[in-house]
Amino acid sequence: QERMEAELAYKDLYRAHGKNADNLGKHRLAIEFYEKLFQLKQPSEKKIEVKEKLIDLYNRMGRIRDAERMKNSVIRDDFRPVY
């Protein structure tokens, strides 16, 4: 239980830092945070949100190949709740 709360706080921290960097116009830094967040285990709907954000940031930075690669990536539901 405590571990799951810590992991959630960790993910929320990455999400907040990514959003803040994006709002400040630091797109490269935002991409770093969102890429790390994308690698972490989380429910597929959260992962899809991160994927869409990365596609948007890649396009704004002119990283068309990365945007296309991300569009074609498959989201697997890596999140399995512990009972």
Side-chain angles (χ1 to χ4, degrees):
Q1 181 68 27
E2 204 172 296
R3 181 176 181 207
M4 287 178 65
E5 289 175 9
E7 286 178 5
L8 182 60
Y10 182 71
K11 293 170 193 170
D12 287 342
L13 186 63
Y14 268 100
R15 191 171 278 107
H17 281 303
K19 185 176 182 178
N20 187 42
D22 187 25
N23 290 340
L24 293 173
K26 298 181 179 182
H27 304 306
R28 194 169 299 159
L29 183 61
I31 287 172
E32 289 179 28
F33 283 117
Y34 283 116
E35 283 176 339
K36 177 63 179 172
L37 188 59
F38 188 74
Q39 294 172 5
L40 299 175
K41 289 184 179 182
Q42 53 189 327
S44 58
E45 57 272 358
K46 292 284 188 184
K47 208 157 195 165
I48 290 169
E49 288 176 21
V50 174
K51 176 182 175 177
E52 290 172 354
K53 190 66 181 169
L54 275 169
I55 291 168
D56 177 53
L57 286 165
Y58 286 147
N59 282 323
R60 284 196 268 160
M61 291 293 293
R63 294 173 57 177
I64 307 305
R65 285 185 183 160
D66 289 327
E68 289 300 316
R69 176 185 49 81
M70 186 59 66
K71 283 180 190 175
N72 296 328
S73 67
V74 176
I75 303 287
R76 285 175 280 149
D77 197 0
D78 292 334
F79 186 76
R80 292 178 193 84
V82 178
Y83 295 104

